[in-house]
Amino acid sequence: DGKSDTTGFGTIQQAVDAASSYDTIKVLPGTYDQGGATDGRMFSRVAILSKRIRLESTGGRDVTFIVGRHSAGAVHDDTAIRCVYADTANTEIVGFTICEGDTKANSSDSDGCGGGLYAGKSDVRAIDCTFRNCWGSRGGALYSGTAIRCLFVGNKMYNGANGAIARASYLFNCIALNNIPGSQPALQGCNAVN
């Protein structure tokens, strides 16, 4: 039933599906690379649809990982798995390493944006997270959300698109290292404040 450590859900998605709006889901340390759901266009390891949730790790980003999947080769097709999709205002994702997420190639729709986190609203917040090695044609790590005290490492865009770190997002007190922007800016249409 997810009410204790001994009766916890097997995947984060199972907990999200059982939750109601305004619930807080506490996630134990570990690597979460199983389960997920579709937003109607693309599969994500965690899809938070039509409910405001606080998804919070109990051990922090150094020991709690949400892992997507890169497509085979450089194809960026239906085998790609985004890490997190959240479409509801004031949803919060707190204290995770969000890594290895990918999107479909050359798409300006949601399925080509935000390999780490696609936020359907700008006030979907990632707080104290690390985005690592996420890919996308628009917003490799983050699309359309708000990042607070986050670290962006080794994210990239492909096919000459824009925003290896983020696109159409707000970043507050974040650090970016070794991201691969290609021929376009690493931040596209973003507001960044330190």
Side-chain angles (χ1 to χ4, degrees):
D1 66 1
K3 303 226 187 260
S4 73
D5 292 355
T6 57
T7 63
F9 293 101
T11 68
I12 295 173
Q13 189 63 50
Q14 290 172 331
V16 167
D17 292 344
S20 298
S21 280
Y22 302 98
D23 281 353
T24 295
I25 298 171
K26 300 279 190 169
V27 179
L28 296 174
T31 298
Y32 296 89
D33 59 1
Q34 300 295 312
T38 181
D39 59 32
R41 299 185 58 87
M42 185 175 169
F43 194 81
S44 297
R45 188 65 65 210
V46 177
I48 303 170
L49 304 170
S50 302
K51 52 177 102 169
R52 177 184 180 241
I53 291 176
R54 180 178 172 93
L55 186 65
E56 181 179 343
S57 70
T58 61
R61 63 178 155 198
D62 293 335
V63 294
T64 315
F65 304 87
I66 298 174
V67 183
R69 182 177 67 210
H70 293 160
S71 301
V75 178
H76 308 290
D77 59 14
D78 288 338
T79 63
I81 298 177
R82 174 188 288 123
C83 294
V84 181
Y85 178 97
D87 69 356
T88 306
N90 295 309
T91 294
E92 294 182 335
I93 297 97
V94 183
F96 291 89
T97 290
I98 297 170
C99 57
E100 310 300 324
D102 196 0
T103 64
K104 296 179 185 177
N106 289 328
S107 176
S108 60
D109 295 323
S110 64
D111 52 355
C113 304
L117 169 60
Y118 178 91
K121 305 279 189 244
S122 64
D123 55 359
V124 170
R125 292 178 289 278
I127 303 167
D128 298 323
C129 290
T130 296
F131 290 85
R132 187 181 71 218
N133 199 24
C134 293
W135 304 351
S137 64
R138 287 160 183 82
L142 173 64
Y143 185 86
S144 186
T146 297
I148 302 168
R149 296 182 307 273
C150 290
L151 177 62
F152 294 87
V153 181
N155 302 288
K156 75 176 189 175
M157 61 185 178
Y158 45 78
N159 299 329
N162 46 53
I165 297 169
R167 181 165 182 194
S169 300
Y170 297 91
L171 287 77
F172 298 94
N173 298 314
C174 295
I175 297 172
L177 302 168
N178 301 320
N179 295 281
I180 305 165
S183 62
Q184 300 291 324
L187 295 172
Q188 179 71 32
C190 295
N191 292 312
V193 178
N194 269 338

